[in-house]
Amino acid sequence: MTVRIGVIGCGAIGFEHIKRITNTLSGAKVVAVNDINEEHAKKIVADLGLDAKFYADGHELVKASDVDAILVTCWGPAHKEFVLDGVEHGKYVFCEKPLATTADDCLEIVNAEVKQNKHLVQVGFMRRFDEGYVALKKAIDEGEIGTPLMLHAAHRNPVVDDKYTTDMAISDTMIHEIDVLHWLLNDEYVSAQVLYPRRTKRALKDLADPQIVLVETKKGVRIDVEIFVNCEYGYDIKCEVVGEDGIAYLPEPATVQTRKSASLNRPILMDWKQRFIKAYDHELQAFINNINQGKKLNGPTSWDGYAAALTSDVCIKAQQNPGKIMPINMKERPSFYK
Ligand code: NAI
Ligand code: ISE
């Protein structure tokens, strides 16, 4: 079977996903697109030679009988209405992060999905499909480093645009660590604290950059995450897990090392699209395969979307109270998601 996909939001990542479904992945095709920027969406359809209908109204796309699954890749504040609509129409939904912009909105989606009694939603936390993180998790799960005690992580972007605000360091950037780190450790977060180091001269006037977020888990693991979005030198993602018996590192992406002019050199990628290119392929291929094979979706769930949003909300409160430890009180996970 071919999964017929409708895409809502044809911007940066929407376009990337349309291209990968069309050119790289198997078992699906894009049959419908929507974007408030009609001209742009139609241009993508024409440029890629897609046999896809443009819908001026995203809700009409959701309802279309020839659309089996929807990709919600518009901007964050519009995710909730389309995800909910998709779930209520019994459609499979792949939603880019964030699932919704508040924890309460995520819970509404969770409740709608539980009511349908079917796993319909996968959230685009692609790092769970990254080969490096998967290998790191395997090493931890198999006890290679013993009980994890501490975790040091960094999320560095070369530069951000002038619309990027201090809270986005959490809600847009660190949200990936928020999701992947508790999955890695099989644990949950209980508190968060934010510290501001000396500011880089490269950050725009009102942006606090870098930032350090300290998180504690239920099992007592201490996590520190550095977020530095104007580091200039590259897009660099680090993760080091310190266990009782050893230390495990997230593998570096495979780039060619050279020896030249009395130095050893390895390029660093500049862009998230390249750094996680395979993870994006794997997450969407898994979504498509599970639908085609009638299997339960195996990626991050609506509940994971809620857990990330709640944690993000608390971290943002912690940003406003530097140094203060803020509790994270997660609701009880419904058995549907256990
Ligand atoms: P973008 O701004 O490039 O694209 C968003 C698109 O959505 C635009 O074409 C815009 O016209 C359209 N849009 C906005 N509101 C809409 C509405 N109500 N109905 C239909 N279309 C609408 O943004 P980008 O970078 O593509 O981000 C989109 C989402 O993907 C965000 O939630 C972002 O956080 C997430 N994202 C995830 C990444 C990942 O690594 N998993 C990487 C980049 C973005
Ligand atoms: C962007 O929205 C993403 O999701 C990227 O994966 C992340 O690394 C970047 O910092 C965000 O701005």
Side-chain angles (χ1 to χ4, degrees):
M1 176 186 146
T2 299
V3 182
R4 297 165 302 175
I5 295 183
V7 180
I8 298 176
C10 303
I13 197 133
F15 181 45
E16 292 296 317
H17 286 336
I18 292 173
K19 279 193 290 183
R20 63 171 43 88
I21 292 166
T22 309
N23 302 327
T24 311
L25 309 184
S26 60
K29 64 176 179 179
V30 175
V31 298
V33 295
N34 157 264
D35 197 294
I36 47 172
N37 186 341
E38 176 169 348
E39 198 185 325
H40 177 65
K42 285 185 170 169
K43 185 170 178 325
I44 288 178
V45 170
D47 288 353
L48 296 178
L50 302 177
D51 182 15
K53 181 172 170 189
F54 173 79
Y55 286 81
D57 181 346
H59 295 285
E60 291 302 317
L61 178 152
V62 172
K63 275 191 261 167
S65 59
D66 66 345
V67 168
D68 306 311
I70 58 169
L71 237 62
V72 179
T73 44
C74 52
W75 76 314
H79 288 184
K80 177 194 165 189
E81 63 172 278
F82 294 117
V83 177
L84 260 186
D85 201 17
V87 170
E88 279 158 8
H89 282 88
K91 301 273 167 107
Y92 287 100
V93 181
F94 180 94
C95 179
E96 261 311 331
K97 43 74 52 168
L99 176 61
T101 47
T102 68
D104 283 347
D105 284 354
C106 291
L107 271 185
E108 237 182 278
I109 294 169
V110 163
N111 291 336
E113 192 179 34
V114 171
K115 199 166 155 204
Q116 291 282 11
N117 198 23
K118 187 172 177 188
H119 288 271
L120 292 168
V121 180
Q122 179 171 329
V123 184
F125 288 125
M126 75 293 177
R127 290 193 189 181
R128 295 191 189 200
F129 290 87
D130 173 72
E131 284 164 6
Y133 276 107
V134 169
L136 185 56
K137 180 164 174 60
K138 188 162 179 279
I140 297 168
D141 287 349
E142 289 178 354
E144 269 194 52
I145 56 164
T147 304
L149 309 173
M150 292 176 280
L151 190 153
H152 311 295
H155 189 146
R156 304 193 187 115
N157 291 52
V159 67
V160 285
D161 66 29
D162 56 4
K163 292 188 204 77
Y164 192 96
T165 49
T166 294
D167 56 321
M168 286 171 72
I170 308 288
S171 61
D172 189 58
T173 299
M174 186 190 150
I175 193 100
H176 286 291
E177 273 75 18
I178 290 177
D179 177 68
V180 84
L181 298 184
H182 79 89
W183 168 81
L184 206 57
L185 297 169
N186 302 308
D187 209 341
E188 279 175 35
Y189 306 125
V190 293
S191 73
Q193 180 187 18
V194 172
L195 302 174
Y196 296 107
R198 186 175 180 183
R199 235 177 119 259
T200 168
K201 63 176 185 232
R202 296 203 175 84
L204 288 173
K205 192 168 68 49
D206 295 323
L207 181 66
D209 186 40
Q211 302 180 31
I212 295 172
V213 184
L214 303 172
V215 182
E216 190 184 5
T217 73
K218 216 172 193 171
K219 293 179 188 165
V221 179
R222 293 283 182 170
I223 298 175
D224 55 273
V225 183
E226 168 204 315
I227 313 150
F228 186 11
V229 294
N230 288 283
C231 79
E232 200 187 31
Y233 74 88
Y235 179 75
D236 208 6
I237 303 299
K238 303 268 176 212
C239 183
E240 175 184 339
V241 187
V242 181
E244 253 167 359
D245 305 329
I247 298 173
Y249 299 90
L250 178 70
E252 290 285 340
T255 51
V256 173
Q257 179 173 298
T258 56
R259 298 170 117 80
K260 199 181 155 191
S261 310
S263 62
L264 267 181
N265 254 304
R266 277 189 67 179
I268 292 177
L269 299 171
M270 290 300 284
D271 180 330
W272 49 265
K273 291 189 202 92
Q274 273 132 34
R275 170 64 180 82
F276 286 110
I277 191 161
K278 283 205 214 148
Y280 294 117
D281 288 349
H282 293 330
E283 65 171 356
L284 266 184
Q285 189 65 70
F287 178 71
I288 293 164
N289 291 351
N290 286 324
I291 296 173
N292 267 332
Q293 294 161 15
K295 289 188 185 160
K296 189 174 143 187
L297 299 179
N298 69 342
T301 62
S302 297
W303 181 260
D304 294 315
Y306 157 74
L310 183 84
T311 307
S312 164
D313 288 352
V314 174
C315 291
I316 290 171
K317 278 198 203 111
Q319 280 183 323
Q320 292 148 9
N321 299 274
K324 191 159 177 211
I325 299 173
M326 312 291 279
I328 299 173
N329 297 313
M330 203 78 65
K331 289 206 180 294
E332 175 81 18
R333 186 190 287 257
S335 57
F336 183 73
Y337 295 101
K338 277 180 184 152

